[in-house]
Amino acid sequence: MIDRDIDIRTKYGVMNTFITHPEENGPHPVVIFLMDAPGKREELHDMARRLGSAGYFVMLPNLYYRRLREFDVESSGREEMFEHMHSLSNAMVCEDVQALLDFAVSDSAARDGKVGCVGYCMSGPFAFAAAAAFPDRIAASASLHGVRLCVDAKDSPHLNAGKIRGEMYFGCAETDEYAPRQMIDDLDRHLAGTGITYRIEIYPGTEHGFVFPSRQGKYHKAAAERHWERLLSLYGRCL
């Protein structure tokens, strides 16, 4: 695997981004990996490597770059984490996705054409919004225990879901205070009327954050492995 740390300039500053992809048999389809609230860190780098080793050019940006280059939740605390998280919007992250797509065009290891996306927790709605914002590029997008997917807000991503042309996957925890079952049911009802290709899957016996190995008391190995199966199947089918 080839790992790189790249600075991608946007009109808001420099978005430091981790890129990983196989050494051979390129160029590879692009997958944009959007971080959860604790930020870009080695745990996510390892997850990006696992995805990349299956044959993808994976881009993991620091979405907090407008405020700081590095964030460590252990030293900074959850209050600061929530401040950074609430500083973002779907529109802002879609602008960042555009910058990532523009950069990928110039990289010989990245294949042109259809792109994948995945967002975890706070980035679930970002991956959902990006699929609608870039319907001609994003052919497969996934939200894992995503929050604010279908809410009473003018920028709720479900409102633009009808624009999606690719496949959309939602992997949801059975018990999730940040993404309650009522929201998931409302989302399902809404999407059923859009005609888009989507799947909502509830992972039995799981809580918010179940895919992350270091999330003590929340990590669910069997469910985490299922999520990898779902992602690889989605991208293999669509990209």
Side-chain angles (χ1 to χ4, degrees):
M1 295 295 292
I2 303 296
D3 291 350
R4 288 181 282 159
D5 292 296
I6 301 293
D7 285 343
I8 298 176
R9 186 163 295 279
T10 77
K11 65 182 180 180
Y12 304 103
V14 175
M15 180 168 57
N16 50 310
T17 301
F18 176 75
I19 293 176
T20 184
H21 58 83
E23 182 179 2
E24 300 180 341
N25 302 318
H28 307 282
V30 173
V31 174
I32 296 172
F33 184 128
L34 301 176
M35 69 192 205
D36 62 332
K40 177 181 168 295
R41 58 195 185 279
E42 190 61 17
E43 180 180 33
L44 297 193
H45 292 180
D46 284 341
M47 293 173 68
R49 291 183 184 106
R50 177 164 178 177
L51 183 56
S53 69
Y56 299 101
F57 182 95
V58 183
M59 310 181 76
L60 168 61
N62 166 31
L63 296 179
Y64 296 152
Y65 74 93
R66 294 171 179 83
R67 299 166 68 94
L68 76 175
R69 187 173 178 86
E70 302 290 342
F71 175 68
D72 178 14
V73 68
E74 297 298 327
S75 60
S76 300
R78 291 176 60 83
E79 183 175 347
E80 182 177 336
M81 179 187 76
F82 283 116
E83 289 178 4
H84 295 319
M85 180 179 71
H86 293 312
S87 74
L88 296 174
S89 68
N90 295 331
M92 292 166 68
V93 176
C94 283
E95 288 188 82
D96 296 339
V97 168
Q98 180 67 70
L100 293 164
L101 293 174
D102 291 344
F103 176 86
V105 169
S106 67
D107 196 300
S108 61
R111 195 177 78 186
D112 292 338
K114 296 178 180 179
V115 172
C117 187
V118 60
Y120 293 87
C121 305
M122 79 163 186
S123 286
F126 301 153
F128 190 10
F134 303 97
D136 295 328
R137 291 299 311 278
I138 297 180
S141 194
S143 162
L144 277 302
H145 32 72
V147 302
R148 298 183 60 78
L149 299 171
C150 183
V151 293
D152 184 15
K154 64 181 181 180
D155 68 339
S156 180
H158 80 282
L159 298 174
N160 289 319
K163 298 178 181 179
I164 296 174
R165 297 179 188 171
E167 288 193 31
M168 191 74 221
Y169 175 78
F170 302 90
C172 308
E174 181 176 38
T175 303
D176 194 335
E177 62 180 309
Y178 302 106
R181 187 60 177 267
Q182 183 61 56
M183 182 191 74
I184 304 304
D185 291 343
D186 290 345
L187 174 66
D188 196 9
R189 281 191 291 270
H190 177 80
L191 295 181
T194 65
I196 71 169
T197 301
Y198 77 97
R199 179 182 182 181
I200 296 175
E201 184 172 18
I202 306 298
Y203 286 64
T206 61
E207 298 180 56
H208 187 81
F210 66 85
V211 304
F212 299 115
S214 68
R215 199 69 59 86
Q216 293 185 2
K218 304 296 183 183
Y219 177 59
H220 190 296
K221 185 174 182 179
E225 290 303 310
R226 179 186 294 177
H227 120 272
W228 287 117
E229 177 188 348
R230 299 294 191 258
L231 278 184
L232 293 175
S233 176
L234 175 68
Y235 297 146
R237 182 169 61 250
C238 298
L239 306 185

